[in-house]
């Protein structure tokens, strides 16, 4: 005689819902615990990091002993935290020591507006509020620095910047007036990008040029070009 075992009782909808809720709760708590652990580790690391130090001290891979900035990732991290970029054109270190290629151009965009100090053989040139600059190396040595001025954007700001430096650097009022006329003419040529230059002068033992570009969209950008 064959007997049939009774089927297990079927789980009610409410019981299934409770079991599902318990499972979801457990998963959610597990994820939250992992997130808290990661945040805790990150906070501990930041607390013990030079990023939080009031006066951080650079390591050998972040800055040269004489204060010259390096431009690989470690160097950029440091000068963004320190709040100052230092470039030596008077006695530049080898490109490799600066974290730069032996030949080529490297563009750097800062995390926040920073002062850029360029050392020459006879003094320093300083630019405030810089967000972008580029460095050109030739034969393993830094040869040229191009700094985008914080005054870019309007001719009023650019003109004031140029006139403020003209007396010290050697540009005449006529030089700037000629540039102003050229910029006005370029701005009227819609859809055409044009770059105008001031004569090269020498200041602090560095050759200094000024270039104003009117983009195809009509935007203005002032770049100071410094070279040895």
């Amino acid at each position: 005689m064959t007997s049939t075992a009774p089927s297990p009782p079927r789980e009610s909808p409410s019981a299934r819902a409770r079991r599902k809720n318990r499972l979801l709760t457990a998963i959610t708590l597990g994820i939250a615990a992992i997130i808290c652990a990661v945040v805790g580790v990150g906070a501990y690391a930041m607390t013990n990091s030079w990023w939080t130090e009031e006066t951080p001290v650079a390591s050998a891979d972040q800055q040269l002993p004489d204060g010259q900035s390096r431009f690989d990732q470690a160097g950029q991290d440091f000068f963004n935290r320190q709040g100052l970029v230092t470039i030596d054109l008077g006695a530049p270190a080898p490109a490799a020591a600066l974290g730069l290629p032996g030949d080529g151009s490297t563009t750097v965009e800062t995390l926040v507006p920073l002062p850029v100090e360029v050392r020459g053989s006879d003094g320093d040139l300083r630019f405030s509020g810089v967000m972008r600059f580029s460095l050109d190396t030739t034969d393993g040595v830094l040869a040229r620095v191009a700094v985008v001025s914080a005054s870019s954007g309007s001719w009023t700001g650019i003109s004031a910047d140029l006139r403020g430096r003209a007396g010290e650097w050697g540009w005449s009022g006529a030089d700037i007036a000629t540039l102003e006329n050229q910029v006005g003419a370029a701005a009227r040529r819609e859809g055409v990008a044009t770059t105008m230059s001031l004569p090269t002068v020498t200041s602090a033992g560095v050759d200094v040029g000024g270039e104003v570009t009117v983009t195809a969209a009509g935007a203005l950008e002032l770049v100071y070009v410094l070279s040895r």
Side-chain angles (χ1 to χ4, degrees):
M1 183 174 181
T2 302
S3 63
T4 303
S7 301
R10 182 173 297 178
E11 190 176 34
S12 68
S14 60
R16 285 198 301 271
R18 287 194 298 272
R19 181 166 57 82
K20 182 177 180 182
N21 288 337
R22 286 196 298 270
L23 179 60
L24 290 174
T25 299
I27 293 173
T28 301
L29 291 175
I31 293 173
I34 293 172
I35 292 173
C36 289
V38 170
V39 171
V41 171
Y44 176 80
M46 283 299 295
T47 299
N48 293 277
S49 167
W50 55 266
W51 275 98
T52 61
E53 295 178 10
E54 185 172 342
T55 54
V57 177
S59 59
D61 67 337
Q62 294 174 324
Q63 188 182 74
L64 273 62
D66 65 355
Q68 290 187 65
S69 298
R70 285 177 52 87
F71 302 99
D72 53 9
Q73 191 57 59
Q76 292 187 40
D77 286 345
F78 184 78
F79 66 62
N80 274 294
R81 171 61 186 87
Q82 181 191 38
L84 174 65
V85 181
T86 302
I87 304 169
D88 198 328
L89 272 176
L98 297 173
L100 295 170
D103 291 277
S105 182
T106 300
T107 297
V108 178
E109 295 189 1
T110 64
L111 297 179
V112 295
L114 294 178
V116 173
E117 182 179 275
V118 180
R119 300 174 182 170
S121 59
D122 192 28
D124 300 333
L125 303 175
R126 193 176 178 92
F127 305 89
S128 300
V130 176
M131 291 289 292
R132 189 171 83 254
F133 59 93
S134 63
L135 307 110
D136 294 346
T137 50
T138 303
D139 296 330
V141 179
L142 179 64
R144 180 179 180 271
V145 180
V147 179
V148 179
S149 172
S151 65
S152 297
S154 73
W155 176 250
T156 300
I158 289 173
S159 176
D161 190 359
L162 292 173
R163 293 183 188 281
R165 299 178 186 274
E168 178 184 357
W169 288 3
W171 288 314
S172 67
D175 291 331
I176 297 176
T178 297
L179 179 66
E180 182 171 13
N181 290 334
Q182 293 172 338
V183 169
R188 290 189 290 272
R189 294 193 293 270
E190 295 183 4
V192 179
T194 309
T195 298
M196 289 70 58
S197 302
L198 284 167
T200 299
V201 294
T202 300
S203 181
V206 174
D207 290 337
V208 183
E211 297 180 350
V212 176
T213 296
V214 180
T215 69
L220 296 176
E221 182 177 80
L222 170 62
V223 178
Y224 289 111
V225 181
L226 317 173
S227 58
R228 299 189 294 116

